[in-house]
Amino acid sequence: MTKGSDVPLAHKSNALGDAAPLTAAIYPFDHPHRARPRALTDLLGGKGAGLAEMISTLGINVPPGFTISVPLCQRYRREGWPEGLDEAITLHTSRLGDRMGRRFGDHNDPLLVAVRSGAPVSMPGMLDTVLNLGLNEYTVEGLAKVSGDEKFAWDSYRRFLHMYATTVMGVHCDELYVGHSGDTTESLREHVVLLRERIRQVAGRDVPAEPTVQLREAVEAVFRSWDSQRARTYRAKEGIDESMGTAVNVQAMVFGNRGLNSGTGVVFTRDPSTGEAVLYGDYLPMAQGEDVVAGTAHTLPIADLEQLHPAIYTELQETLRRLEVHYRDVCDVEFTIENGRLWLLQTRAGKRSAVAAVRIAVDLVNDPDIRLTPTEAVSRVPAAVRQRARDEALAHVGADDAAHDLVTTGLGASPGRAVGRVVLTSDEAADADDDVILVRPETKPEDVAGMAASVGLLTTKGGLVSHAAVVARGWNIPAVVGAQDLTCSANGIHAPSGLLIRVGDVITIDGTTGQVWRGAVTTPTDEIVIRAIEHELPQLPALEEWARQYAHEGEEQ
């Protein structure tokens, strides 16, 4: 149990009674908890706990904000919007504005915030997010003035309107298309006018102009997203408790779309596909975080950041190493660069393939700064995962078996080889009784039912930390992403050679090499099996020996 002002975790399901002061159920990221924040995921959610840990324990550069605790979401699900929560959020927002030297809704220098979910367990892309909240037709002019960049301000307003309409108001993104926004201030202004009118037509109301109303509705949208169909489907697949609920994190905005020295990215401290001790992820200049994970943009490998911003890359490397040593595990980190300054927006344990889990566990035992115990290593990689690692290793070899039928090579995002019939929609995948490979330009959270029913995923857009890549790795589904020379139509997949792979045709994908073949690739021989284990999983024998010792010691006890 925590002490002091923290809610007792043992009674989290009914931690906040009607008389509980709601202001005390909301925690600034730097709140002086009696327990270490990383241990408070049932109270703060995974994201909130990570933000608090980075600020209070490690002193890492994190934009300030506050966490609306998990028990408040649980109370909302039981009773509806709690009385007094509006006033409590307003108070904490005012305090955040004091820290930032800005005021929420100020026409001259507005405080803008991001509203993000943060469940106690990782549910990538399943819950809702709203960025740039606080903009309206007046505050956008203030943002343009204080930043000295009208184009940036109107681009941020465009992004806000689109995200608010889809996330909070329930408008489908396809209904919001009003043409390309262009890349000039004037074209962005015109686009915003058209977008606002389109939202009014489709939703029957405007996006609220009052920032406090925007914030209330956004927080409630995040609460509601816990019970969305996509979230329920994901929890059923992962065996996550339906009653858990989510926290909401309200955080001062930092802008990756603010000039040439800005950008955003997602990075793993080690390769989550192979376990290799190299940074792995995507970076996108002049963009915001949702651009990277949505899989709609052509991202850059994280290594390109070293050439673009050498000093920031070095700082990022050093910060990531601190996190990995602190958590004694692979970390998945979201970051933003605003005008040459690095900010971290999230850290959590990185989802990894079975092969990577084996390699990482053994390497962390041998890491002099981490020194994971053999017992800890075995507990992180149980027998079922070790068997999956063997199966994945087999899929890594023999990649030239069908070179004459090679269609394209994309990015190997989740290891393993999959053979299946091509389907182009999540509904087709979910309804299939045989092995299918879901082929999409990019996947969205709404596609999770089809993704869960597929033996493999192939996308023509997106990078190594796109939605398709992250979910596939977490579920050990082979995936190839960013196969940019392929296009999808109602008939099937078109390759540059003129080849058409029709819906229902069989293809093979390799989530390690990124290769895609027409037809089924033959199974490796026994000799290849032996070579695969020796080459791909040299750490496995040590882990198996520790497992035997662990089991023997357990028997003796």
Side-chain angles (χ1 to χ4, degrees):
M1 174 186 298
T2 61
K3 300 178 182 178
S5 59
D6 296 337
V7 175
L9 301 187
H11 304 287
K12 64 181 183 296
S13 64
N14 58 3
L16 295 174
D18 292 338
L22 297 190
T23 299
I26 300 176
Y27 300 89
F29 295 160
D30 59 355
H31 178 82
H33 297 282
R34 297 291 183 87
R36 297 183 70 172
R38 64 188 290 183
L40 301 178
T41 54
D42 284 349
L43 176 67
L44 303 175
K47 188 173 296 181
L51 292 166
E53 186 82 4
M54 285 193 289
I55 288 180
S56 62
T57 305
L58 297 173
I60 288 174
N61 203 29
V62 172
F66 56 87
T67 298
I68 302 170
S69 61
V70 174
L72 278 173
C73 177
Q74 295 168 344
R75 180 169 167 181
Y76 169 81
R77 295 180 71 227
R78 292 193 308 269
E79 306 169 8
W81 187 262
E83 185 178 354
L85 183 54
D86 288 310
E87 292 78 7
I89 292 174
T90 297
L91 176 61
H92 280 276
T93 305
S94 177
R95 290 173 178 172
L96 177 60
D98 291 341
R99 293 192 60 172
M100 299 298 295
R102 298 189 177 103
R103 188 164 55 84
F104 203 43
D106 186 358
H107 292 183
N108 297 311
D109 188 7
L111 170 69
L112 304 181
V113 298
V115 180
R116 291 185 170 96
S117 62
V121 295
S122 177
M123 295 176 56
M126 297 303 111
L127 306 179
D128 283 337
T129 294
V130 180
L131 305 180
N132 307 304
L133 191 141
L135 283 173
N136 56 36
E137 59 185 311
Y138 304 107
T139 57
V140 67
E141 298 287 2
L143 181 62
K145 180 180 178 181
V146 75
S147 68
D149 189 340
E150 284 189 285
K151 180 180 172 182
F152 150 72
W154 285 91
D155 177 58
S156 298
Y157 191 22
R158 172 191 66 83
R159 291 169 178 271
F160 166 67
L161 290 170
H162 195 282
M163 187 172 284
Y164 195 94
T166 56
T167 300
V168 179
M169 301 170 73
V171 179
H172 194 280
C173 60
D174 293 343
E175 297 182 283
L176 293 179
Y177 184 71
V178 291
H180 192 266
S181 61
D183 57 3
T184 67
T185 300
E186 189 55 39
S187 66
L188 284 165
R189 283 178 177 268
E190 293 172 358
H191 185 87
V192 163
V193 171
L194 294 174
L195 184 57
R196 291 179 63 188
E197 177 58 31
R198 182 62 180 160
I199 292 170
R200 186 181 303 114
Q201 292 173 354
V202 175
R205 68 180 180 106
D206 292 311
V207 171
E210 175 54 50
T212 56
V213 176
Q214 296 174 2
L215 183 53
R216 153 72 186 264
E217 291 189 354
V219 170
E220 189 166 13
V222 175
F223 283 165
R224 288 198 310 267
S225 69
W226 177 260
D227 291 301
S228 66
Q229 185 57 53
R230 64 180 186 269
R232 289 181 179 275
T233 301
Y234 187 89
R235 288 197 295 275
K237 173 78 173 179
E238 290 286 293
I240 297 171
D241 182 1
E242 281 286 326
S243 66
M244 187 178 294
T246 181
V248 181
N249 298 288
V250 179
Q251 187 171 31
M253 279 295 301
V254 289
F255 299 95
N257 59 328
R258 190 171 179 173
L260 297 176
N261 289 327
S262 301
T264 189
V266 177
V267 60
F268 290 74
T269 55
R270 297 181 188 229
D271 188 323
S273 293
T274 67
E276 186 180 0
V278 295
L279 298 190
Y280 176 102
D282 294 330
Y283 176 70
L284 195 57
M286 297 183 65
Q288 293 190 342
E290 292 302 299
D291 299 330
V292 176
V293 298
T296 55
H298 178 48
T299 55
L300 303 176
I302 194 66
D304 285 10
L305 184 60
E306 184 173 16
Q307 282 71 48
L308 293 170
H309 304 291
I312 294 175
Y313 185 76
T314 298
E315 181 185 356
L316 179 64
Q317 282 183 308
E318 294 171 350
T319 303
L320 293 174
R321 178 59 180 170
R322 289 178 61 202
L323 284 170
E324 187 173 85
V325 170
H326 180 73
Y327 281 99
R328 303 175 74 236
D329 202 356
V330 175
C331 294
D332 169 6
V333 173
E334 180 183 347
F335 68 93
T336 285
I337 301 168
E338 182 185 57
N339 281 336
R341 186 175 183 184
L342 176 66
W343 299 88
L344 265 61
L345 306 180
Q346 172 174 300
T347 187
R348 59 188 174 189
K351 292 184 179 295
R352 67 211 70 176
S353 71
V355 164
V358 169
R359 179 171 184 171
I360 289 165
V362 175
D363 286 354
L364 293 186
V365 170
N366 297 321
D367 189 309
D369 297 321
I370 296 176
R371 295 191 181 280
L372 210 65
T373 67
T375 300
E376 289 174 313
V378 171
S379 69
R380 291 186 183 185
V381 194
V385 177
R386 299 197 297 273
Q387 182 56 54
R388 281 206 308 271
R390 293 187 189 91
D391 296 340
E392 286 180 10
L394 302 185
H396 290 198
V397 297
D400 296 326
D401 295 356
H404 59 287
D405 285 326
L406 184 67
V407 176
T408 191
T409 300
L411 302 173
S414 181
R417 188 177 294 184
V419 180
R421 179 172 58 85
V422 169
V423 296
L424 299 180
T425 70
S426 294
D427 288 343
E428 290 177 286
D431 292 340
D433 295 324
D434 56 342
D435 290 345
V436 297
I437 293 177
L438 177 61
V439 183
R440 302 280 295 151
E442 70 274 344
T443 65
K444 298 177 181 178
E446 291 75 13
D447 293 318
V448 291
M451 296 168 73
S454 303
V455 298
L457 304 175
L458 170 62
T459 70
T460 60
K461 298 178 182 179
L464 297 173
V465 294
S466 62
H467 176 263
V470 172
V471 173
R473 277 194 297 272
W475 286 351
N476 288 293
I477 299 173
V480 174
V481 301
Q484 298 178 56
D485 56 354
L486 300 181
T487 56
C488 296
S489 72
N491 297 325
I493 314 167
H494 300 265
S497 63
L499 172 69
L500 171 62
I501 299 175
R502 298 184 181 277
V503 174
D505 288 351
V506 172
I507 62 172
T508 301
I509 65 171
D510 191 307
T512 301
T513 65
Q515 291 173 296
V516 180
W517 297 277
R518 180 174 59 177
V521 173
T522 56
T523 303
T525 64
D526 290 343
E527 180 182 351
I528 290 177
V529 169
I530 295 171
R531 191 170 76 244
I533 299 298
E534 292 176 345
H535 182 265
E536 298 290 339
L537 282 171
Q539 299 85 1
L540 185 59
L543 195 61
E544 294 284 19
E545 178 59 28
W546 294 336
R548 284 190 289 272
Q549 293 176 5
Y550 180 45
H552 180 64
E553 291 169 2
E555 290 173 3
E556 290 180 345
Q557 294 172 0

